């Protein structure tokens, strides 16, 4: 359920939906986009908390995704405390898409999550573009400080205009190595983050520490051929369970694409290699292939063993 321009009407609709005794208890997976107004979001979380903790209504809900979440300490505290209070707890996956956060608010939010909630849930965290911290990049800094407290983090994505530098990636890698979740992390995304070739070396260290990764998205950055080759070599060596790799919309020629296809095939790795470029992403190295270049890639694919 996603809201429109009239947030008051949207809020009323969601409350009405949550109060539907025939529909809500039977939902297995629920994705909700929270209102952009802070007070409306607090009310939204309050109503959702009451519904999730009503012991008189058995729930089947296994996956809950909240997008556009503000890291308000008090509202988050009440929400997680409510989750923790329910005895017959059916929830298995919790996905949080943080739209507005500061260093203190995200760290405080994670402190409010009870340990048994952290251990039981498959937690996913995504930081998205927000004008309040694009320049100072406080969103990435907040993630660095909060990571050691995230025991069961399975997915971590930084995307949609959040710029990141080599120093932050080093700190991110160091912070992740201190977290219990490092052995559980399955998805890592660093897409459309204005990452330059200088970020490849610390990013390689981060990937080496996360051998459990199954999906990696490094698309929409400024990686050149040299940095992409080095990253590909590390991924081949360190990620035996890889299922999906997306590296399009970087500074990549057709010859590099062919080399990567050959290298991964020689290594007998079986996964989805996504080389597509997004023409809507501005300022990155992705380019359109000529008919000749495309034909060469197709011919190379025809020669693959599997």
């Amino acid at each position: 359920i996603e809201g429109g321009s009239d947030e008051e009407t949207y809020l009323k609709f969601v409350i009405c939906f949550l109060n539907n005794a025939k529909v809500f208890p039977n939902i297995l997976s629920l994705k909700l986009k929270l209102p952009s107004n802070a007070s409306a979001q607090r009310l939204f979380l309050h109503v959702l908390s009451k519904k999730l903790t009503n012991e008189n209504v058995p729930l089947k809900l296994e996956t809950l995704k909240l997008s556009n979440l503000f890291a308000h300490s008090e509202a988050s505290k009440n929400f997680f405390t409510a989750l923790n209070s329910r005895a017959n707890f059916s929830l298995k996956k919790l996905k949080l898409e943080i739209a507005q956060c500061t260093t203190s608010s995200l760290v405080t939010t994670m402190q409010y999550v009870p340990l048994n909630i952290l251990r039981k849930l498959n937690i996913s965290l995504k930081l998205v573009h927000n004008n309040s911290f694009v320049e100072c990049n406080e969103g990435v800094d907040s993630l660095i400080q909060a990571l050691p407290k995230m025991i069961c983090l399975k997915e971590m994505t930084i995307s949609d205009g959040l710029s990141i530098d080599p120093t932050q990636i080093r700190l991110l890698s160091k912070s992740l190595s201190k977290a219990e979740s490092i052995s559980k992390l399955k998805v890592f995304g660093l897409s459309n983050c204005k990452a330059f070739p200088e970020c490849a070396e610390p990013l390689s260290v981060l990937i080496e520490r996360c051998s459990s990764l199954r999906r990696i998205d490094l698309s929409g950055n400024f990686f050149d051929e040299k940095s992409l080759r080095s990253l590909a070599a590390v991924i081949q060596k360190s990620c035996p369970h890889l299922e999906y790799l997306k590296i399009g919309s970087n500074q990549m020629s057709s010859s590099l694409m062919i080399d990567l296809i050959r290298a991964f095939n020689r290594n007998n790795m079986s996964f989805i290699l996504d080389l597509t470029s997004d023409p809507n992403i501005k300022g990155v190295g992705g380019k359109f292939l000529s008919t000749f270049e495309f034909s060469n890639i197709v011919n190379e694919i025809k020669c693959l063993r599997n």
Side-chain angles (χ1 to χ4, degrees), residues 11-34:
L11 186 61
K12 289 179 180 178
F13 169 77
V14 172
I15 292 174
C16 180
F17 167 78
L18 294 175
N19 284 326
N20 190 314
K22 292 183 178 180
V23 176
F24 183 64
N26 293 302
I27 291 176
L28 292 175
S29 180
L30 179 62
K31 176 184 176 182
L32 294 170
K33 184 175 182 179
L34 276 65

Side-chain angles (χ1 to χ4, degrees), residues 228-245:
L228 285 171
R229 287 182 192 276
S230 65
L231 285 167
V234 169
I235 290 170
Q236 287 181 69
K237 180 182 176 182
S238 307
C239 303
H241 307 295
L242 192 68
E243 297 173 358
Y244 178 86
L245 172 62

